[in-house]
Amino acid sequence: MNGAEALECSGRGFRQRLVEVESDDWARPTPCDEWSVRDLVNHVVGGNFRYVMILAGEPADAVLRTREQDWLGSDPLGSFDDGLARVTESFSVPGILEATVRHPKSGAMTGAQLRLLRVNELTVHAWDLARAIDSDDRLEERVVSWLLERLEPLRSTLGLYEPGPADDLPAASPQRSLLRLLGRAG
């Protein structure tokens, strides 16, 4: 799996759960402290647009100001589809993966590293959303493996969690290992 495929697949995984959200699900709590389903989905949809801004070289303060914006409007699925299409297009611009971009919190990184963060967020928040709405929380195994290979070396840079006792790791599934790395109980 390459990065473009991982982005597409992780976006599809999140969308799959978003389609299942019923009108009475929006206020339900999620595994993300203090976020409802609506807050979580708004964060993910807004994240797609924020990553477009980052790739375009927008200043960090402009990107951060969008965090409180309502990105869902009356059509959350349509907003997600629009944002995913835009971020996918932005990551396919020639040379962008090698370019240095500035994430407002993590600082300078390559476009390829930023894409890794986007795939990570789409994937882990698909799990969060599935848990919140009592849906299937199994993640795409190829994306999970792709993420594990790339996130582990960035553990300290990204502030990731320790995966747990070493003697427990061989028994852990790749999904469980990824969720532990991201601070989820899996």
Side-chain angles (χ1 to χ4, degrees):
M1 172 168 280
N2 64 38
E5 292 167 329
L7 180 62
E8 178 197 347
C9 196
S10 62
R12 223 178 22 247
F14 187 87
R15 188 184 196 282
Q16 174 187 341
R17 276 65 176 210
L18 182 54
V19 167
E20 296 176 32
V21 174
E22 301 286 337
S23 60
D24 58 341
D25 289 334
W26 291 105
R28 292 177 90 170
T30 69
C32 300
D33 291 343
E34 301 179 23
W35 276 358
S36 67
V37 166
R38 189 175 202 316
D39 297 330
L40 174 74
V41 174
N42 193 59
H43 168 75
V44 171
V45 172
N48 284 330
F49 289 99
R50 281 187 288 282
Y51 276 57
V52 169
M53 293 173 72
I54 293 167
L55 290 167
E58 295 284 333
D61 62 331
V63 174
L64 290 173
R65 278 195 304 268
T66 69
R67 291 183 67 84
E68 302 305 317
Q69 186 172 334
D70 176 14
W71 293 96
L72 304 183
S74 62
D75 183 11
L77 188 58
S79 296
F80 176 79
D81 289 344
D82 181 36
L84 185 63
R86 289 181 191 213
V87 79
T88 300
E89 182 180 330
S90 293
F91 277 118
S92 65
V93 169
I96 198 67
L97 298 178
E98 296 79 24
T100 299
V101 297
R102 294 205 62 79
H103 187 280
K105 292 185 177 181
S106 301
M109 62 181 61
T110 66
Q113 290 170 320
L114 188 71
R115 182 174 63 187
L116 170 65
L117 296 183
R118 189 77 226 135
V119 171
N120 178 58
E121 282 196 9
L122 288 164
T123 302
V124 73
H125 289 320
W127 183 86
D128 293 330
L129 183 55
R131 283 290 176 106
I133 63 171
D134 297 322
S135 182
D136 182 359
D137 67 1
R138 287 175 294 169
L139 300 171
E140 166 61 51
E141 290 178 20
R142 295 178 313 138
V143 174
V144 169
S145 295
W146 187 86
L147 281 168
L148 281 171
E149 289 173 20
R150 287 155 182 81
L151 286 174
E152 183 65 35
L154 301 175
R155 177 195 310 272
S156 62
T157 306
L158 299 176
L160 300 175
Y161 293 82
E162 288 299 320
D167 60 342
D168 191 26
L169 287 181
S173 71
Q175 177 170 319
R176 188 175 181 96
S177 296
L178 177 66
L179 292 171
R180 282 179 165 178
L181 190 64
L182 301 173
R184 304 307 195 274

